[in-house]
Amino acid sequence: METYLEERQANGKYTFTSEDVLNDLPVSKSVLHQSLRRIRKVNKVALIRKGFYVIVPPEHRSRGVLPLSWFLDDLMKFIDRPYYLGLLNAAALYEAGHQQPQEYYVVTTGDGLRNVELENLKINFLFRKDWPEKGIQQRKVPTGYLKISSPELTAIDLIKYESRIGGLSRVATVLDELAEKLDGKLLCKLAELYTDLPTIQRLGYLLEEVLGAEEIAAPLIAYLETQNPRKIPLKPSKNLSKTLEAIHPWKVVPNITVESDL
C-alpha cells in the first residue's frame, strides 16, 4: 500500500479513492481498510470524505493534511459537483484581507452537501442556483488547477453571504483592499447576470458611501436606474427604521454602522 502511494505521489497525484486502490491492486476491501487505518494513524494519509483520501508528504504531516488548494479540484470531481473557491479565500488570493482565513468557503450547486470538519481543516459549502460561469477563473497550483471566483464575483459573493463571514464591516474591510482589482463594468455585468437587486444595492452602497469607490460603483447606478429597486435595509436581518432615510441612488437604509478597518 505504501509503495502504491509513493508511486502516485511520484506521478504528481496526491489524492486517491478506495475504488482506485481496489481497481489497481489485488486486495480485498477488508485488507484495504486495515491498511488505510494503519497509515492514517501516522498521518501518511487523511480521510477527507468517505472513500476519498489525500496523501500527506512528510513536510505536511505536522498539520495532518495538505493545503486545500492542492486537492479541492479532485475532491469536487469525486463529489461530482461544479465548484469555485470564493469569499475570503478568493479575496486572500487577490491579496485582500488582513489575515489568511482559517476556514474555507467553497461555492457549489444543489444542496444536501455536509461541511467537512477535521481537526485542521474546515470546508464550508455554500449553494447557489444560478451558476456564475463567467465569473470563475482557473489558477495554477502544484497539483494542477484550482477554480476560484474572479475579483468581481468575489465582491458580489461577499455581500451575498455576508452573514457567513462575520458581517458587513468585515466585508467592507476586505472590499477596501479588493477594490483596486475591480473593474466596474465587469462587476455590473456579472451582477446583472448572477445576483438579485438587493445584493447589488448593498454592494453599490458600500463601494460608494463607505469606501468612496465612486468610479467602480457608477455602472451599478446606471443599471439600478433601469430596474426601479425597492427600499431595503443595509443589514438584511434588521427591520427598516421609520426614522432613517434611504440613501439614493441605492435606496439603502443604513440601519447599522459599517466601517472599514483600514
Side-chain angles (χ1 to χ4, degrees):
M1 185 67 197
E2 293 193 30
T3 301
Y4 174 78
L5 298 181
E6 289 172 1
E7 290 176 353
R8 287 188 72 89
Q9 190 175 333
N11 290 319
K13 297 179 180 179
Y14 286 83
T15 67
F16 65 96
T17 67
S18 300
E19 187 175 344
D20 289 334
V21 181
L22 292 172
N23 288 336
D24 295 341
L25 297 179
V27 296
S28 65
K29 286 185 178 181
S30 61
V31 170
L32 170 61
H33 291 154
Q34 289 174 8
S35 296
L36 289 174
R37 278 197 296 271
R38 177 175 53 82
I39 57 180
R40 282 178 62 196
K41 287 181 179 179
V42 291
N43 289 337
K44 291 186 178 181
V45 300
L47 174 62
I48 306 300
R49 202 171 196 89
K50 184 177 180 181
F52 182 88
Y53 297 83
V54 168
I55 301 169
V56 185
E59 62 270 26
H60 292 283
R61 283 178 193 158
S62 61
R63 187 168 178 268
V65 71
L66 282 175
L68 179 66
S69 60
W70 288 34
F71 65 87
L72 179 58
D73 197 72
D74 284 350
L75 174 63
M76 299 310 291
K77 286 176 181 174
F78 172 74
I79 296 173
D80 195 23
R81 299 272 187 104
Y83 82 95
Y84 60 87
L85 186 67
L87 293 115
L88 299 175
N89 307 112
L93 293 174
Y94 298 118
E95 301 178 345
H98 287 315
Q99 301 174 344
Q100 182 67 31
Q102 299 303 306
E103 302 178 17
Y104 293 96
Y105 299 89
V106 176
V107 184
T108 185
T109 58
D111 54 22
L113 198 57
R114 294 194 309 275
N115 293 340
V116 173
E117 296 191 34
L118 305 178
E119 183 177 353
N120 294 308
L121 176 69
K122 182 173 182 181
I123 307 173
N124 301 287
F125 290 110
L126 306 174
F127 307 97
R128 59 185 306 159
K129 296 177 181 178
D130 51 340
W131 192 243
E133 193 67 42
K134 296 182 184 296
I136 300 172
Q137 300 179 350
Q138 285 201 111
R139 177 165 291 209
K140 189 77 173 67
V141 294
T143 54
Y145 289 91
L146 174 70
K147 294 179 181 179
I148 66 173
S149 54
S150 68
E152 292 76 19
L153 180 58
T154 301
I156 292 168
D157 282 351
L158 287 170
I159 302 295
K160 185 179 180 70
Y161 301 105
E162 56 89 14
S163 64
R164 299 290 299 272
I165 57 172
L168 287 170
S169 285
R170 187 177 191 188
V171 169
T173 301
V174 178
L175 278 178
D176 208 352
E177 291 186 298
L178 187 63
E180 64 183 39
K181 304 283 200 315
L182 297 178
D183 179 310
K185 291 182 179 179
L186 182 55
L187 178 65
C188 185
K189 183 177 180 180
L190 289 177
E192 289 180 45
L193 289 172
Y194 301 123
T195 196
D196 55 285
L197 281 180
T199 296
I200 298 175
Q201 291 169 257
R202 293 181 179 107
L203 175 58
Y205 171 86
L206 288 186
L207 287 170
E208 183 179 56
E209 300 293 330
V210 177
L211 304 178
E214 293 89 352
E215 186 175 341
I216 299 171
L220 297 177
I221 294 175
Y223 173 64
L224 285 177
E225 287 175 348
T226 69
Q227 300 299 306
N228 191 30
R230 62 181 176 82
K231 186 167 70 170
I232 62 167
L234 176 57
K235 179 66 177 177
S237 61
K238 289 184 174 289
N239 295 328
L240 279 173
S241 172
K242 295 180 180 179
T243 63
L244 295 175
E245 293 293 328
I247 304 298
H248 292 284
W250 308 110
K251 292 190 178 179
V252 169
V253 177
N255 58 336
I256 61 168
T257 300
V258 174
E259 295 178 343
S260 168
D261 288 340
L262 301 183

